[in-house]
Amino acid sequence: MSKKFIIVGGVAGGATTAARLRRLNEDAEIILIERGADISFANCGLPYYIGGVIENRENLLAMTPSRFKNIFNIDVRTLSEVTKVDAKNKKVFIKNSDSTYEENFDALVLSPGAKPLRPPIPGIDSKNIFTLRNVPDADEIKKIAGKFSDGKAVVIGGGFVGIETAENLRERGLEVTLVEAVPHILAPFDDDIVAILEKEISSHGINLILNDGVKNFSELDDKNLKITLSSGKEISANFVILSIGVRPDTEFLKDSGIELGERGHILVDEYMQTSAKNIFAVGDSVMTFDSLTGNKTSLALAGLANRQGRLVADNISGKNKKYRGVIGSSILKVFDLTAAATGKNEKILQREGKIFGEDYKFAITYPTSHATYYPGAESFVLKTIFSAKDGKILGAQAVGKNSVDKTIDLVASVLHFGGTIQDLQELELTYAPPFSSAKAPINMAGYVAENIFENLSEPILPKDLKNKIESGAMIIDLRSPKLFEKSHIEGAINIPAEKLRANLDKLDKNREIILTCKTGLNGYFMEQMLRGKGFKVKTLAGGNAYKNFVI
């Protein structure tokens, strides 16, 4: 007798599970139940559809219900909602436009996803306040953006979707204000890195308001809204996009016998099985675990949902595979820049304390996307965070125009397998001048990190320069006189690197010395020389390259 599998919810997790189940179980009865009209769409592409980068709406639809049914022989039921799950008796209750009925199952997969937060802020129910979660949402936003093509839009929330939506509305020509309640946008990035992105956003004409939440919304008329912020500041808009986070769409599971977390996430074990036997869960609604710490965590990313869906289908089919957890890798476009991160950032490490037993250290480098002598090389900033105890990689962040995705993907791979800064040095990577450097950015990050780890170098950050100067430190710029005259740190003296050895008599061994150069390399060379001569010396991380990113 063939088995019956029911999947609740489509898109990444549910649709992947259904397709994989069919490939492994040709004779099973498989039912996919989806509340919306689309079972598989590119939700990550929605902001770019609004902005017109993706012109054809149909390109967002990865698989239509009819095609999915014809290819995989799956009973696809759209515009249908599971209202209740009876885990004990293996039943689900389904509601559509015509009736409510029930279906039994041998195995059930829950992929209900998450829904945008709409907190009880006065005026939030205005018809001109939108959220972005699916294709119909994008249709509505694109329509009103076209209606007010030279008007004003306010985006509330500086997460990934908020930033992407603000950028695309701005690219359409609207006047855009982005409001974020905390001091900085984009939580995966540390303050020193995210400042680069905030500068980029502002330089493209977006009014960025930080550390200020929304107090209330009020309609001035049917075409204008007033947004009053916590500070008392008032801003106006023709429409508002609310992008302040999501919560699991799991209210229908409250009396199901399936265990949920405090915020409604579905709790699963290492096989992605819930507290109920033969009921699994995947996607944005699931609470899994952090592969670095073992702590429970949730992460709403399409790639994770796809991985989980495949694993669940394998386990239902008897393969008994374990989920290895999440490390948290993400990327986004911010106008002309790419920003990517993986693993832990400083904020998380400081908040969670010494979860790895020892403190952490980090290295900041400014490599180029390929060999500098080949045309088109672009610098980017790379921050590599590692354990001060054993050099194990804990996380990384990068921002720039090119090579950011490749570099962070490599760090993520090393991190996934528990690698160290020494492993970064030893990666054997492809090289030709148009594509990389003989010492690849990730290799160089490993070298610099090892120098810091072994106390061979002690870099300081640009944000610490002011205090160092005020405390009497001498700033020596090692670049050529021509570059020094073009721009330099106020108060610095110019001694080119090749002439420093001949000018040691001009230096005071009782005074701290800060070295700066073009990218930090000559600074490191001269730091070692001065240390060997008994001077107290540190190097400015990345040298004067930091000015290309944040001033």
Side-chain angles (χ1 to χ4, degrees):
M1 183 176 178
S2 64
K3 292 188 175 182
K4 183 176 181 180
F5 307 136
I6 295 178
I7 298 100
V8 181
V11 198
T16 294
T17 305
R20 177 69 171 172
L21 273 173
R22 173 56 73 217
R23 294 195 296 272
L24 297 177
N25 302 272
E26 178 57 32
D27 297 326
E29 179 183 0
I30 303 175
I31 303 171
L32 176 61
I33 303 165
E34 168 58 45
R35 178 190 296 170
D38 304 305
I39 60 161
S40 184
F41 62 89
N43 50 359
C44 297
L46 297 179
Y48 301 99
Y49 169 62
I50 292 169
V53 178
I54 299 172
E55 298 179 0
N56 190 345
R57 184 183 189 275
E58 298 305 310
N59 290 341
L60 294 171
L61 305 177
M63 182 74 73
T64 63
S66 60
R67 187 164 182 262
F68 197 71
K69 182 176 182 179
N70 292 336
I71 290 177
F72 296 107
N73 186 29
I74 288 172
D75 183 356
V76 178
R77 303 180 188 179
T78 56
L79 302 176
S80 299
E81 181 178 1
V82 172
T83 58
K84 183 180 178 182
V85 174
D86 183 347
K88 183 178 180 179
N89 295 301
K90 294 187 177 181
K91 291 181 180 180
V92 294
F93 296 83
I94 306 164
K95 180 182 179 182
N96 58 27
S97 58
D98 299 321
S99 61
T100 298
Y101 60 97
E102 62 184 65
E103 291 278 4
N104 66 311
F105 59 82
D106 291 295
L108 174 67
V109 180
L110 302 170
S111 181
K115 56 185 178 182
L117 287 172
R118 292 187 73 99
I121 300 172
I124 200 169
D125 294 327
S126 168
K127 62 182 177 62
N128 286 336
I129 297 178
F130 302 87
T131 57
L132 179 59
R133 192 62 181 169
N134 53 37
V135 178
D137 291 341
D139 289 335
E140 288 296 314
I141 295 171
K142 188 169 186 177
K143 181 179 178 182
I144 197 167
K147 180 180 178 181
F148 298 108
S149 57
D150 58 351
K152 298 179 180 180
V154 170
V155 177
I156 310 296
F160 280 58
V161 176
I163 298 299
E164 291 168 343
T165 304
E167 175 184 336
N168 279 278
L169 290 173
R170 180 62 186 151
E171 295 283 31
R172 288 184 63 115
L174 280 79
E175 183 180 330
V176 179
T177 297
L178 179 67
V179 178
E180 172 55 60
V182 298
H184 291 285
I185 60 173
L186 296 169
F189 298 89
D190 286 319
D191 295 351
D192 51 355
I193 301 297
V194 84
I196 304 167
L197 303 175
E198 291 169 351
K199 177 184 176 183
E200 178 76 359
I201 289 168
S202 297
S203 72
H204 281 80
I206 290 180
N207 178 27
L208 186 59
I209 299 176
L210 300 174
N211 207 26
D212 207 351
V214 177
K215 184 177 181 181
N216 63 64
F217 302 97
S218 56
E219 292 184 348
L220 301 177
D221 53 46
D222 61 352
K223 296 182 180 179
N224 293 281
L225 288 166
K226 181 175 74 174
I227 302 99
T228 303
L229 304 181
S230 301
S231 64
K233 181 181 179 68
E234 294 181 349
I235 52 178
S236 62
N238 300 117
F239 64 95
V240 170
I241 309 298
L242 203 63
S243 184
I244 57 176
V246 296
R247 66 178 179 184
D249 196 359
T250 56
E251 292 180 7
F252 71 103
L253 296 174
K254 285 185 176 179
D255 299 317
S256 64
I258 296 170
E259 188 177 355
L260 304 177
E262 291 182 6
R263 298 183 59 194
H265 290 94
I266 304 169
L267 303 183
V268 295
D269 62 15
E270 57 192 350
Y271 300 98
M272 301 304 293
Q273 184 169 248
T274 70
S275 59
K277 188 177 180 181
N278 294 319
I279 299 180
F280 300 80
V282 301
D284 296 357
S285 63
V286 168
M287 179 72 73
T288 59
F289 65 95
D290 186 310
S291 62
L292 290 176
T293 66
N295 296 338
K296 291 186 180 298
T297 190
S298 61
L299 201 57
L301 293 172
L304 298 181
N306 281 316
R307 282 170 45 204
Q308 293 165 3
R310 181 182 176 90
L311 183 142
V312 163
D314 286 352
N315 286 341
I316 289 174
S317 305
K319 289 182 176 290
N320 205 37
K321 291 184 176 180
K322 291 183 179 181
Y323 189 60
R324 297 181 66 172
V326 302
I327 61 175
S329 299
S330 55
I331 190 169
L332 81 159
K333 173 183 175 294
V334 183
F335 289 102
D336 297 328
L337 296 179
T338 301
T342 189
K344 304 297 183 187
N345 59 31
E346 284 197 83
K347 290 181 290 188
I348 292 174
L349 292 170
Q350 290 166 5
R351 184 173 67 242
E352 295 186 358
K354 296 183 180 181
I355 54 176
F356 298 96
E358 292 289 339
D359 287 333
Y360 65 89
K361 292 185 176 183
F362 62 86
I364 294 183
T365 51
Y366 293 86
T368 53
S369 54
H370 57 255
T372 55
Y373 58 82
Y374 188 90
E378 294 277 0
S379 295
F380 65 98
V381 58
L382 172 61
K383 181 175 185 177
T384 308
I385 305 175
F386 55 94
S387 168
K389 178 183 178 181
D390 54 16
K392 185 173 288 187
I393 301 296
L394 302 179
Q397 303 154 52
V399 175
K401 292 184 177 180
N402 297 308
S403 292
V404 167
D405 53 345
K406 175 171 70 174
T407 301
I408 291 299
D409 283 344
L410 286 168
V411 178
S413 299
V414 173
L415 194 160
H416 176 77
F417 291 106
T420 67
I421 53 178
Q422 288 78 22
D423 293 315
L424 296 184
Q425 300 172 29
E426 295 172 7
L427 286 177
E428 183 179 335
L429 306 171
T430 57
Y431 160 65
F435 306 106
S436 186
S437 301
K439 293 180 180 178
I442 194 169
N443 297 145
M444 286 302 300
Y447 297 144
V448 173
E450 183 178 60
N451 289 335
I452 296 169
F453 178 73
E454 295 181 349
N455 295 316
L456 295 176
S457 179
E458 189 174 356
I460 70 163
L461 295 175
K463 66 181 179 68
D464 299 323
L465 267 178
K466 183 179 179 181
N467 289 337
K468 289 293 183 181
I469 293 172
E470 290 176 351
S471 64
M474 172 185 285
I475 311 297
I476 300 178
D477 193 319
L478 301 170
R479 298 174 301 157
S480 68
K482 184 177 179 180
L483 289 176
F484 180 79
E485 289 174 10
K486 188 175 180 180
S487 70
H488 60 264
I489 297 167
E490 186 176 354
I493 64 170
N494 181 216
I495 306 178
E498 63 271 21
K499 296 182 179 181
L500 187 60
R501 288 180 182 271
N503 286 277
L504 295 182
D505 58 331
K506 296 180 182 179
L507 308 183
D508 183 354
K509 286 189 176 181
N510 295 315
R511 187 178 179 188
E512 186 175 40
I513 296 171
I514 308 296
L515 300 175
T516 181
C517 59
K518 186 177 180 181
T519 63
L521 186 59
N522 281 335
Y524 169 67
F525 294 157
M526 295 298 100
E527 179 187 8
Q528 302 313 302
M529 184 271 289
L530 290 175
R531 281 186 175 212
K533 301 290 187 183
F535 289 90
K536 297 183 293 184
V537 59
K538 295 179 181 178
T539 306
L540 180 64
N544 280 41
Y546 82 92
K547 289 187 176 181
N548 296 325
F549 297 91
V550 181
I551 298 177

